[in-house]
Amino acid sequence: MIGYLKRLIRSLAAYQVADVVSKFIAVLLLPLYTRYIPPAGYGVVELLGNSVILASIVVRFGMIEAFLRFHFTDADQQRRDALVRRAVAFLLLVTTVASIVLALVAAPLSTALLGRGHVQIFRVAVLGLWTFTNLELAYAVLRVDERVRAYAAASLINVAITIPASVVLVVGLRDGALGLLLANYGASTLVLFGLWWTMRHKLAPRRTVGTERLGQLLRFGLPTVPAEASVYALSIVDRYYVYHHRSPTQAGLYSIAIKLTGVVAFIVRAFQYAWPPLAYSVTSDAEASRLYGLVTTYYALISGWAVVGLTLMGRWILRLLAAHAYFEGYRALPWVALGWAMYGLWVVFLVIAGRAKVTTRNFPAAFVGLLANVILLIVLVPSYGIAGAGIALCGAYAVMLVVMHLLTRHAFQVAFEWRRLVHLTLVLGGIAAAGDLLLPTHGVVGFVTRAAAFAVIPLALLATGFASRQELDGVRSLASVALRRYVVRDPSR
């Protein structure tokens, strides 16, 4: 079990290094960007960026999900390479056709999504669809091969190109929202071509017998599409609703809240990339059951602690990192952060359904969640604005997770640590709620007291008996090793 956790942590670090660097630099540049891109323009960027991901889920027909699942069913490297070639060729063909069609009908589609006058930026998003989908598969190949250094290098190169290109286009050439999207998707396109070149030995055509046929891959992957699209529609419907039923400016404020929940997004994205390959590689169902439950607890601890931090410190983060016009985005910040964290729990259930080969059950849960989100948006946004949109997002995820658990619990039983999960919820939720309601909302006193409330969380969990004796012994052992290795010096030196 410890070996699996070490692999997960190593993968998490590698998959997140570039994301951490890119988001850190992007956050540092936010005071600059938010002075050159008004909230309405930022709302356009975020709505299009999420629309690209939603469209990507549809046009890839579940091929990436099928690739991840079937890669581990055969140990023969030649057949694994053949699976890579089949998946890459399929996605290249489908995304190229889809992009051509979308570019031809950009005028009416951009008007429906954003209003008039956005045809050019919509076509940049079409390039993003082509690049993003194919790049996701290229990254998936690196992940299943556990080529963590190559993954990190490719991601960092993407960052190294994107950041200066963004500054030149947004600040230097004053291209605003268009420049921000073009820099991101243009850099990703260059990285994609580079990865294809490094994988040319895998992609070179050759005849291999025994690989999964396209129909078999699609039979596994296609049932995942409605569910995954419904889930990601949760990232579209709230911004689309706020954009059209409140204003593009309010959508921009909501989007800046999403951007500033980066610390939770880092955790979720790394978990989303690292967890499925590791989870599917565990051959013993009994061992997988225990591992899935333990990882869920640790994920909830780390992501939940980050949510509390954003809840308590959100106002100061907005004042520091965004222009004054964006300050009201703090109202949505805690709820959006919690929504991100809940999405990571959905990833756990996707793997459970994939392991049990009951991916058709994903869609009912996802559809119910989407329906709940729409209803909650209509009810909450008129009264609570962008905070209501965030609450609706959390409510939708809660409904979806409950339904998914009911649909999968008999297909594959996971040893969830329910007592500890409830314990976490009470401690983290109690400190977040009490701190936000009772502590000052501005000034040095407010900052210091809220930072102290955030810092005391590990002690509160320890004092209330959250950690097991085995976990405490493991921490002491690691600390002892670190002490001997890095602190205690050889007197003879």
Side-chain angles (χ1 to χ4, degrees):
M1 193 68 65
I2 297 298
Y4 287 122
L5 292 176
K6 287 181 178 178
R7 282 174 59 195
L8 179 61
I9 292 170
R10 186 172 63 250
S11 298
L12 287 171
Y15 298 141
Q16 250 342 49
V17 61
D19 213 18
V20 168
V21 172
S22 65
K23 294 301 187 296
F24 179 73
I25 296 174
V27 166
L28 290 180
L29 291 173
L30 269 180
L32 188 66
Y33 289 158
T34 53
R35 284 167 174 79
Y36 286 88
I37 304 176
Y42 203 81
V44 170
V45 170
E46 288 297 307
L47 188 57
L48 276 176
N50 283 273
S51 298
V52 164
I53 299 175
L54 178 61
S56 172
I57 292 169
V58 176
V59 301
R60 69 192 186 206
F61 294 104
M63 183 57 61
I64 296 178
E65 291 73 16
F67 168 75
L68 289 171
R69 181 66 182 92
F70 284 104
H71 180 272
F72 295 101
T73 62
D74 197 328
D76 185 88
Q77 189 59 49
Q78 289 188 344
R79 288 198 285 268
R80 285 183 170 183
D81 289 349
L83 178 62
V84 172
R85 291 192 295 276
R86 185 157 293 168
V88 169
F90 176 82
L91 279 193
L92 179 59
L93 175 63
V94 172
T95 55
T96 301
V97 172
S99 297
I100 292 172
V101 172
L102 289 172
L104 291 175
V105 295
L109 288 181
S110 63
T111 300
L113 183 63
L114 303 168
R116 294 186 180 277
H118 295 286
V119 176
Q120 189 176 8
I121 195 171
F122 184 88
R123 288 194 171 125
V124 172
V126 171
L127 168 66
L129 170 64
W130 186 89
T131 298
F132 175 82
T133 307
N134 289 288
L135 186 58
E136 282 291 287
L137 179 56
Y139 281 154
V141 174
L142 296 179
R143 297 201 317 265
V144 296
D145 290 341
E146 296 196 18
R147 295 176 57 195
V148 291
R149 291 184 180 179
Y151 184 99
S155 301
L156 287 171
I157 291 170
N158 200 339
V159 174
I161 300 172
T162 300
I163 298 300
S166 299
V167 173
V168 170
L169 292 172
V170 174
V171 180
L173 300 180
R174 303 294 180 97
D175 281 336
L178 175 66
L180 193 58
L181 277 184
L182 185 58
N184 276 274
Y185 294 139
S188 295
T189 303
L190 294 176
V191 171
L192 172 63
F193 290 149
L195 284 177
W196 277 345
W197 173 254
T198 64
M199 296 176 184
R200 60 190 182 278
H201 64 285
K202 286 180 178 287
L203 302 179
R206 62 177 68 93
R207 187 175 184 84
T208 305
V209 179
T211 59
E212 291 77 8
R213 295 186 179 278
L214 182 61
Q216 185 179 1
L217 296 174
L218 291 175
R219 279 193 296 274
F220 178 90
L222 278 173
T224 70
V225 173
E228 193 175 355
S230 297
V231 172
Y232 208 85
L234 296 177
S235 300
I236 293 294
V237 69
D238 51 1
R239 265 162 280 191
Y240 187 87
Y241 186 85
V242 172
Y243 187 97
H244 287 278
H245 293 274
R246 301 287 286 190
S247 70
T249 297
Q250 288 292 304
L253 297 178
Y254 189 65
S255 297
I256 204 68
I258 295 171
K259 176 67 70 176
L260 292 175
T261 57
V263 63
V264 183
F266 296 156
I267 298 167
V268 174
R269 286 183 180 132
F271 184 67
Q272 184 179 14
Y273 289 153
W275 174 233
L278 173 64
Y280 287 139
S281 71
V282 183
T283 56
S284 167
D285 283 348
E287 193 172 17
S289 176
R290 294 192 300 273
L291 178 66
Y292 290 13
L294 184 63
V295 167
T296 300
T297 300
Y298 289 160
Y299 168 80
L301 168 62
I302 296 170
S303 62
W305 193 15
V307 170
V308 175
L310 289 168
T311 300
L312 295 175
M313 310 302 295
R315 293 173 178 84
W316 284 266
I317 294 172
L318 260 298
R319 290 190 183 103
L320 178 66
L321 296 175
H324 180 71
Y326 287 84
F327 178 71
E328 289 300 312
Y330 83 86
R331 299 183 184 278
L333 196 59
W335 302 108
V336 173
L338 180 58
W340 261 116
M342 295 173 77
Y343 178 76
L345 295 176
W346 171 254
V347 173
V348 173
F349 285 106
L350 289 179
V351 169
I352 293 170
R355 185 180 187 92
K357 296 184 179 179
V358 290
T359 53
T360 54
R361 302 184 189 184
N362 299 356
F363 176 63
F367 180 76
V368 171
L370 178 59
L371 183 61
N373 195 22
V374 172
I375 294 171
L376 290 171
L377 283 169
I378 295 171
V379 171
L380 297 174
V381 170
S383 300
Y384 301 102
I386 59 174
I391 296 170
L393 181 68
C394 296
Y397 276 130
V399 170
M400 190 169 63
L401 290 171
V402 169
V403 174
M404 189 64 169
H405 175 60
L406 294 175
L407 292 175
T408 59
R409 61 179 178 173
H410 296 302
F412 181 76
Q413 294 187 350
V414 174
F416 287 117
E417 300 178 329
W418 294 112
R419 182 192 64 79
R420 295 217 294 172
L421 290 172
V422 171
H423 189 158
L424 269 177
T425 302
L426 292 176
V427 172
L428 297 179
I431 291 175
D436 200 43
L437 292 173
L438 302 177
L439 297 177
T441 58
H442 62 278
V444 175
V445 174
F447 178 83
V448 171
T449 54
R450 286 170 178 254
F454 172 71
V456 81
I457 286 174
L459 295 177
L461 289 171
L462 188 63
T464 53
F466 173 78
S468 67
R469 183 179 298 275
Q470 183 181 8
E471 288 169 331
L472 292 175
D473 289 342
V475 171
R476 292 190 191 100
S477 177
L478 290 174
S480 177
V481 171
L483 185 65
R484 288 195 302 270
R485 181 175 299 176
Y486 299 110
V487 178
V488 178
R489 301 296 181 184
D490 187 343
S492 64
R493 292 183 180 179

